[in-house]
Amino acid sequence: VLEEVDRRISGAPRLLRLSEQVILGRRLRNIDYLLPGVVAMALMQLGVFGTAHPIISLRERQVLRRLSATPLSRSTFLAADVLLRLLIGLVQVVLLLGIGRLVFDVSIQGDRLLLAGFLALGAATFIALGFLVASISPTEEAGNAITQLVNFPMMFLSGIFFPVEIMPRWLRPIVEAMPLTYLGDALRQIMVGASALHPLPLNAAVLGGWLVLCVILSVRLFRWE
């Protein structure tokens, strides 16, 4: 400011002019923004709905109790169930990315190994969250209510369909607490080169923290009958 005032008083000519311009790596289309969000939502619903409801149903029908009387160990049953969800998640992701590429010409811009790591971390986090919901749900009706309470806020407030910058400031602490916010942000950065809401290491750390927390609580609270 002082330099500009001095220049005007002295009448010196302007030799250099600063021009600011926001630069993105590439111009994003709506589908470029939406596809990573749809992938993140699919993993979230696979974990919350696809894990919690079957487990609650098996417990209410006493299937889990009868399984405990068989030679099948509980750890083997749980590991098989988690592996099944991960395989289903893999198929979902492949189909979504394939449709995005063939129909909408959305190509992956970033490191595919890094993308695979975040997809696996996100799927594991939401599967663990689904087990936690199943652990604290006494009945199927209660499980339906709890999964809806988990699903809808994350689906509409985590920024997977529209930028979180347009949300009211008082909602930001809620947005920042949701694991889907960090998964969607990481997938957008890697898949389409979108601007970062958080650094990738922070996204991984938050998802990992949610994973560890949900696993610990599920182990402590899970009931077989």
Side-chain angles (χ1 to χ4, degrees):
V1 171
L2 292 176
E3 286 179 353
E4 179 65 17
V5 172
D6 182 66
R7 187 194 66 80
R8 292 184 179 184
I9 294 175
S10 64
R14 185 188 300 276
L15 301 179
L16 301 175
R17 181 182 298 273
L18 178 65
S19 176
E20 296 184 3
Q21 181 178 0
V22 178
I23 300 177
L24 295 176
R26 57 193 294 265
R27 185 175 296 276
L28 297 180
R29 303 168 296 166
N30 287 336
I31 188 61
D32 293 325
Y33 189 92
L34 286 176
L35 182 60
V38 171
V39 173
M41 183 187 68
L43 294 178
M44 183 268 292
Q45 293 191 332
L46 167 70
V48 176
F49 284 99
T51 300
H53 286 279
I55 294 295
I56 297 171
S57 177
L58 289 175
R59 186 173 60 217
E60 275 209 319
R61 292 185 287 116
Q62 300 295 315
V63 175
L64 293 181
R65 181 180 182 182
R66 291 194 291 270
L67 281 175
S68 64
T70 69
L72 179 68
S73 67
R74 293 180 176 184
S75 59
T76 301
F77 169 78
L78 293 176
D81 190 79
V82 171
L83 181 59
L84 172 64
R85 308 299 169 196
L86 290 175
L87 290 176
I88 294 174
L90 174 63
V91 173
Q92 283 184 326
V93 169
V94 170
L95 289 175
L96 288 171
L97 294 182
I99 293 172
R101 177 61 175 170
L102 295 176
V103 179
F104 300 103
D105 193 31
V106 179
S107 59
I108 298 175
Q109 303 295 316
D111 190 328
R112 285 166 172 76
L113 288 178
L114 184 61
L115 174 62
F118 269 99
L119 290 171
L121 178 59
T125 299
F126 288 110
I127 290 172
L129 181 58
F131 272 103
L132 178 58
V133 171
S135 301
I136 63 177
S137 301
T139 63
E140 284 195 71
E141 290 77 11
N144 288 331
I146 294 174
T147 51
Q148 295 296 345
L149 287 174
V150 172
N151 175 67
F152 278 103
M154 283 201 290
M155 192 163 60
F156 291 108
L157 299 180
S158 62
I160 58 174
F161 295 129
F162 45 82
V164 299
E165 288 83 3
I166 69 175
M167 297 181 189
R169 184 172 296 275
W170 60 270
L171 278 176
R172 291 302 292 268
I174 301 175
V175 172
E176 297 290 342
M178 295 178 175
L180 192 60
T181 300
Y182 299 88
L183 179 60
D185 178 46
L187 296 185
R188 280 193 300 273
Q189 291 185 53
I190 300 171
M191 290 176 58
V192 297
S195 56
L197 181 63
H198 300 290
L200 287 177
L202 177 60
N203 290 330
V206 173
L207 288 172
W210 269 96
L211 173 60
V212 172
L213 177 64
C214 290
V215 168
I216 293 174
L217 292 177
S218 298
V219 170
R220 292 180 62 89
L221 301 175
F222 190 80
R223 294 175 293 108
W224 291 86
E225 55 183 80

